[in-house]
Amino acid sequence: MSAHLAALQKSGRLRRVDARLGEWLARAFPGTSEDSLLAAALAARAISDGHSALTLDRAQAWLDGLAEGAAPALPEVADWRAALQAAPAVHVHAAGAATPNLPLVLDAQDRVYLRRYFEYERQLARMLVTRAARKDTTTPSPRSRGQLSEEPAPDLIRGRRGDIPASNPAGPPLDPEQQRAIDVALSRRFTLVTGGPGTGKTHVVLRMLAALAQRAQTGSLRIALAAPTGKAAARLGESLRAQLDKLDLPETITAPIPHDAQTVHSLLGVSPWRTRPRFDRTSPLPFDVVVVDEVSMVDLPLMAKLVQAVPDDAKLILLGDPDQLSAVEAGNVLGALVEAAGDGPLRDCHVALTRSHRFGADSALGALAAAITLGDATAVARALDDNAAVTLVDDPRAAQLVDIAADAYRPILSADGPAAALHAARGFRMLTALRHGPSGCLAFDRAIAQRLQRNAGARGDEHGWPGRLILVTANRPELGLFNGDTGVIWPDADGSPRAWFEAGGGTPRALPVAALPPHEGAFALTVHKAQGSEFERVALVTGPDSAVLTRELLYTGVTRARTAVTLYSSLDTLRAGIERRTLRMTGLADRLREAAGT
């Protein structure tokens, strides 16, 4: 092992598996320089940190933030680039050129890729640009492909001369942005709708689906609804059902619209027992319309597999909030799509919803979220000034915070059944920036659980006590459970403890506690784990100022609340957090521009 790789591994910035990649390259490609071996190891480490590539001029700053203390100095960018260009293991990418089967790729923007992740970006870009270029004024009949209806969407759906039937005059109207989103979905094979909480993304997608169902000539459209996590999928299904109840639409229109959503993994048939998803390019999904919500949480490899599996003549509709945290895994797909929509390839397929129907003009919670997004520390302080909906508690005592949280969770213990307990759990959640340490979610969850466990009269060593909130931490598709699903322990009719999870139609389903996949407590969650969820009230604990606390994390945490948020932090810590942006080294936006020839 080179001295440079050894020093990085010793500092905790490089994993042993990363260093081994460099060692393998040295054996497989004799003559590869030390600087190129270093780039390969760091590119592998970058993927584990959520990036899809290593950008040479950003590598030092990224490396410095991976651990305490100064990181070893990296080569000068010009020297590093020259070494990589001469390395036998590296393909120097040029737009439009084929990519030989070499382990590393260097692009024109000085990004170093492991070849697989470069191919994910390039393939995804080509598929999306091709799909975005297809105009579609017809909708295929699902029972007879090729028999197309060219009827425009009915006025009651499109909202031009009355958004809803006269029998339901109280239904919400469409604003101009929402109307344009529907027009794009009707005329294109690809639609990207972005917006913050309360901008009506779910409302508008229901109108899209109703318009498409009305325009289909015969039979019913085959529609799939999906989201990255189980709780995000449950929330999407619940929101669509609530919207359907508000619209008095004919059954012929509502029949094809699913009342439940599934995870993207479940949709594709991803399983630990299969080397490939069940559905892919050669075996496409059997749907005419595929809708995916919370796209900010979808990583690069998963998005590439999803788009590959959507039939060429089907519609793909993506929904998300680009100001939220990116996926934990590699890439920043939604951010790249929005960037590419701003200057070219996806411009005509993107609609940004900017009007919040949840937060009014005088909403302190809305003002706080907007100020964080803009990085305006003065506006953040103003939103926190003497307002019941948003509160700042500077340097609270941990014990006091545990008492406050335990009181907020007591309605779960007094619920009259598992459905009521799950409903009560939506009323409040403690969120943290950190996982470990005294202000991390693990410590707070343990303390809150102990307090509530005593209140429930359960033994200290009893894990299946009634009212305990749990979070699934591994995908178990055979059980219908996925990483991020939240449940509650509650006795069944026989008094035996069961783990209850939300299911379609609002009726929870139960599993024996012994059959649960890996899980942990859920009274306190990291903001990352809470993404895709909503709670009436949120307590957000920032902990000490650290690189973890970013503008995107603060925005995501604050917008998990529907009515009120309490920030347990100092104002100085908040200021530092909103000034710090999440760094993602990725080239998808450039690949999209290359695919479009712009």
Side-chain angles (χ1 to χ4, degrees):
M1 183 188 301
S2 73
H4 217 146
L5 291 180
L8 285 169
Q9 189 175 339
K10 184 177 180 180
S11 74
R13 291 175 170 85
L14 206 62
R15 304 169 303 172
R16 176 60 182 155
V17 67
D18 306 322
R20 282 181 175 173
L21 174 61
E23 294 169 2
W24 173 81
L25 282 177
R27 295 192 301 271
F29 295 87
T32 300
S33 67
E34 291 284 336
D35 286 351
S36 298
L37 302 180
L38 172 64
L42 290 176
R45 177 66 178 88
I47 289 169
S48 71
D49 201 37
H51 310 278
S52 59
L54 175 76
T55 305
L56 298 184
D57 63 358
R58 295 184 178 181
Q60 188 72 61
W62 163 68
L63 200 62
D64 289 341
L66 287 180
E68 295 294 331
L74 297 176
E76 292 294 328
V77 171
D79 297 336
W80 210 355
R81 182 194 307 121
L84 286 161
Q85 289 171 337
V90 178
H91 165 66
V92 181
H93 169 67
T99 306
N101 191 19
L102 294 172
L104 298 180
V105 177
L106 174 68
D107 76 359
Q109 292 76 32
D110 288 338
R111 299 187 193 95
V112 181
Y113 290 86
L114 300 189
R115 182 174 182 273
R116 182 198 305 177
Y117 285 83
F118 179 81
E119 290 299 333
Y120 280 138
E121 284 192 354
R122 189 165 72 160
Q123 291 168 9
L124 177 59
R126 287 175 173 175
M127 290 185 293
L128 285 177
V129 167
T130 299
R131 184 176 291 277
R134 292 194 183 114
K135 293 185 178 180
D136 179 19
T137 58
T138 60
T139 301
S141 165
R143 294 185 182 176
S144 180
R145 294 271 182 180
Q147 296 181 10
L148 307 179
S149 168
E150 297 187 1
E151 298 177 9
D155 291 335
L156 67 88
I157 300 297
R158 291 171 61 83
R160 296 191 185 278
R161 290 181 295 276
D163 301 292
I164 50 177
S167 58
N168 186 16
L174 295 170
D175 64 38
E177 293 171 342
Q178 293 173 330
Q179 181 61 64
R180 180 171 177 267
I182 293 174
D183 292 340
V184 171
L186 289 167
S187 63
R188 300 266 174 182
R189 294 279 169 89
F190 175 59
T191 304
L192 174 64
V193 180
T194 59
T199 52
K201 295 188 295 292
T202 307
H203 174 63
V204 96
V205 82
L206 174 58
R207 298 294 184 89
M208 290 176 181
L209 298 179
L212 291 168
Q214 175 71 6
R215 201 172 67 178
Q217 187 178 53
T218 60
S220 299
L221 282 181
R222 297 172 295 181
I223 299 171
L225 303 175
T229 66
K231 58 190 172 187
R235 183 177 145 211
L236 174 60
E238 180 183 14
S239 182
L240 281 175
R241 290 192 297 271
Q243 296 285 344
L244 275 171
D245 291 342
K246 297 176 183 177
L247 298 178
D248 185 15
L249 297 174
E251 185 178 353
T252 53
I253 293 178
T254 60
I257 300 175
H259 285 207
D260 296 300
Q262 57 188 310
T263 65
V264 177
H265 286 86
S266 178
L267 174 70
L268 294 177
V270 174
S271 168
W273 296 281
R274 292 193 189 102
T275 57
R276 298 170 54 185
R278 179 183 174 189
F279 297 103
D280 55 19
R281 172 63 67 187
T282 59
S283 180
L285 289 162
F287 297 105
D288 305 291
V289 183
V290 176
V291 178
V292 182
D293 195 13
E294 298 286 359
V295 173
S296 64
M297 301 167 64
V298 181
D299 60 68
L300 173 65
L302 185 60
M303 182 60 77
K305 292 169 186 174
L306 169 68
V307 177
Q308 187 180 63
V310 176
D312 291 338
D313 58 351
K315 289 180 180 288
L316 174 62
I317 300 170
L318 303 181
L319 313 171
D321 184 348
D323 294 318
Q324 287 190 28
L325 285 165
S326 302
V328 174
E329 304 299 331
N332 179 14
V333 173
L334 183 57
L337 298 186
V338 171
E339 182 182 339
D343 58 11
L346 306 181
R347 181 178 59 250
D348 295 333
C349 299
H350 176 225
V351 179
L353 305 180
T354 59
R355 178 185 173 190
S356 177
H357 300 269
R358 180 191 304 173
F359 304 134
D362 58 348
S363 166
L365 191 51
L368 177 62
I372 292 171
T373 300
L374 295 172
D376 189 339
T378 301
V380 167
R382 190 163 52 244
L384 291 166
D385 186 23
D386 192 26
N387 192 293
V390 291
T391 308
L392 179 67
V393 179
D394 195 344
D395 295 328
R397 290 177 297 149
Q400 180 186 24
L401 185 48
V402 169
D403 287 338
I404 292 170
D407 285 341
Y409 283 124
R410 282 200 173 88
I412 300 174
L413 303 185
S414 59
D416 60 6
L422 286 168
H423 179 76
R426 301 181 200 172
F428 172 82
R429 196 60 51 96
M430 177 184 282
L431 305 181
T432 66
L434 301 171
R435 177 172 174 81
H436 301 283
S439 58
C441 70
L442 295 180
F444 274 118
D445 179 81
R446 184 165 52 249
I448 295 167
Q450 289 172 350
R451 188 74 50 86
L452 292 172
Q453 193 171 5
R454 289 196 298 270
N455 293 338
R459 300 190 315 273
D461 60 350
E462 185 178 349
H463 296 290
W465 51 276
R468 183 190 178 209
L469 289 181
I470 58 171
L471 181 80
V472 175
T473 58
N475 292 329
R476 289 294 184 270
E478 72 280 10
L479 297 175
L481 292 177
F482 296 88
N483 186 6
D485 287 354
T486 303
V488 65
I489 305 297
W490 203 266
D492 61 13
D494 297 327
S496 301
R498 294 285 187 270
W500 299 79
F501 295 88
E502 292 181 351
T507 301
R509 61 190 184 92
L511 287 174
V513 173
L516 280 172
H519 60 279
E520 61 190 32
F523 290 113
L525 303 174
T526 61
V527 174
H528 275 94
K529 286 292 187 181
Q531 201 167 353
S533 300
E534 281 185 355
F535 311 99
E536 284 301 313
R537 297 176 295 124
V538 161
L540 176 56
V541 183
T542 65
D545 184 20
S546 71
V548 171
L549 192 64
T550 63
R551 184 181 304 177
E552 291 80 8
L553 185 141
L554 286 169
Y555 172 83
T556 303
V558 164
T559 55
R560 297 313 89 201
R562 292 185 60 85
T563 58
V565 62
T566 302
L567 292 163
Y568 291 89
S569 178
S570 71
L571 194 55
D572 287 343
T573 297
L574 288 182
R575 286 196 183 100
I578 67 170
E579 290 173 359
R580 189 181 296 117
R581 302 301 306 270
T582 300
L583 168 68
R584 280 292 169 97
M585 295 182 284
T586 172
L588 179 57
D590 286 327
R591 303 290 86 79
L592 285 160
R593 286 186 280 265
E594 287 176 6
T598 58

